[in-house]
Amino acid sequence: MASEFDLIDRYFKRAAPPGMLGVGDDCALFGVPAGMQVATSTDLLIEGRHFFPDVDPRALGHKALAVNVSDLAAMGARPIGCLLGLALPEAREPWLAAFAQGFHAMADQAGCPLIGGDTTGNPGALAISVTVFGAVRPEAALRRDGARVGDDIWVSGTLGDADIAYRLLGGHMPADEALLARTRTALEWPQPRYTLGPALAGVAHAAIDISDGLLQDLGHILKASGVGARLALDAMPVSTALADLPPARVRHAVLAGGDVYELCFTAPPDRADAVRRIGAECGVAVSRIGVVDAGGQLVVLDADGTPLRDLPRGFDHFRSS
Ligand code: ADP
Ligand code: MG
């Protein structure tokens, strides 16, 4: 069997970009442009908890990095590079090759090269830890505490698909091959908004990426900023893949469905045209879904202007129910 070093050389070592030191030494080295700070974030993915054991390894490699790049985007930071920690139950080379292919493709696409990591055998479940580094001007960083009363609330892309695919794959919805085919890409191949996020830095006031559900994640912005919000249900960008589903199911997927990796952000109303222009330049749809207000509540209005009751919440690992 190949040694740990052979595996690293074969699957993870790549030439580092100019000015950086990548895989192969005790540490990686990189700099940040003057006036910028390092933005860094890490995410841990455990088999059976964050992904299905039989998931396509190429998709898993993609997603392991994509969800981290999404955090950089939500901070308004441009990717610099990433680290990968792997605890492998067994070194199956075809699996590793496919995983690495998906990972490096995402790294190349986002300009976030793999510059180091750690690899270990582990008889338990597969665990993947990815750490990303990015650069952002501190005064323009899209922090969660930046929302102001009167801001518009925006969301990129469409909502709901990933939740439906997750339910179909987990057997929580009656099997529907056609619906799964329409929604599965959203769950397994999320596209982090690494161009949109940095473009919004200095324009938007606050941002978050939707990993646990729109209401829950927007709730983090509202809490950190000490504000409330009113959202319009009929302004939500719903994927056309969900057109045939019952409205209650769609509503739940859109408001509470996780694994979306779209950006939810707030911006002053006089920057609405700038936001639309940035969306168009980045090739990402942006929808205005509500406004920030001074109340401490998060209210969703239906098409008649009536507040929805019993709002669904998003995904929370530590909730008992
Ligand atoms: P150390 O003993 O100093 O921790 P390692 O033998 O663990 O070094 O790693 C050797 C080199 O390979 C280091 O540069 C490390 O960053 C890199 N590396 C190890 N595992 C990975 C991985 N999964 N992805 C990318 N780089 C890795
Ligand atoms: Mg090591």
Side-chain angles (χ1 to χ4, degrees):
M1 199 184 94
S3 76
E4 172 194 328
F5 303 106
D6 292 337
L7 294 177
I8 294 168
D9 270 3
R10 205 166 295 160
Y11 299 114
F12 298 117
K13 192 165 184 165
R14 291 284 190 279
M20 292 169 74
L21 183 65
V23 171
D25 215 313
D26 299 309
C27 289
L29 298 173
F30 60 84
V32 242
M36 302 195 106
Q37 282 188 328
V38 175
T40 183
S41 174
T42 195
D43 259 319
L44 194 52
L45 288 103
I46 310 286
E47 182 180 61
R49 172 137 242 201
H50 300 101
F51 56 90
F52 295 106
D54 61 350
V55 69
D56 169 9
R58 210 163 54 87
L60 185 60
H62 166 92
K63 187 165 175 178
L65 180 54
V67 302
N68 281 277
V69 166
S70 180
D71 281 318
L72 291 179
M75 207 66 193
R78 272 180 211 292
I80 293 175
C82 64
L83 304 176
L84 169 63
L86 276 179
L88 298 167
E90 52 184 336
R92 272 177 293 134
E93 290 211 34
W95 188 96
L96 263 184
F99 176 87
Q101 196 188 39
F103 193 98
H104 288 302
M106 177 77 254
D108 292 346
Q109 191 195 323
C112 193
L114 181 61
I115 55 175
D118 200 22
T119 308
T120 177
N122 170 44
L126 170 65
I128 305 164
S129 166
V130 178
T131 301
V132 281
F133 302 96
V136 66
R137 293 194 181 285
E139 67 279 8
L142 301 175
R143 295 165 50 135
R144 294 182 183 182
D145 60 4
R148 297 288 169 262
V149 172
D151 278 359
D152 290 328
I153 300 170
W154 299 80
V155 72
S156 65
T158 59
L159 304 170
D161 278 18
D163 180 69
I164 297 299
Y166 176 80
R167 281 167 196 280
L168 289 167
L169 288 171
H172 310 299
M173 261 174 79
D176 183 334
E177 283 301 323
L179 183 59
L180 181 60
R182 292 202 297 274
T183 54
R184 190 171 190 158
T185 307
L187 180 68
E188 295 184 342
W189 295 90
Q191 289 301 314
R193 300 309 187 184
Y194 52 83
T195 315
L196 180 67
L200 289 170
V203 175
H205 278 160
I208 194 165
D209 63 323
I210 306 175
S211 51
D212 298 333
L214 172 67
L215 296 188
Q216 181 156 308
D217 288 319
L218 174 59
H220 294 312
I221 290 184
L222 302 181
K223 188 163 182 228
S225 302
V227 294
R230 297 170 87 76
L231 303 180
L233 190 60
D234 59 4
M236 299 291 161
V238 185
S239 157
T240 52
L242 309 187
D244 299 336
L245 287 172
R249 168 69 79 190
V250 174
R251 175 188 303 182
H252 192 278
V254 164
L255 296 179
D259 270 308
V260 180
Y261 303 104
E262 294 295 349
L263 297 182
C264 176
F265 55 97
T266 84
D270 63 2
R271 304 308 302 274
D273 285 344
V275 169
R276 286 198 187 88
R277 195 193 64 240
I278 289 166
E281 282 168 5
C282 297
V284 180
V286 287
S287 307
R288 210 184 67 98
I289 59 168
V291 289
V292 175
D293 66 19
Q297 304 293 311
L298 173 49
V299 179
V300 183
L301 304 175
D302 70 13
D304 319 326
T306 313
L308 297 186
R309 298 187 335 153
D310 304 325
L311 285 181
R313 293 203 303 174
F315 184 76
D316 180 346
H317 280 287
F318 295 102
R319 218 165 68 209
S320 48
S321 62

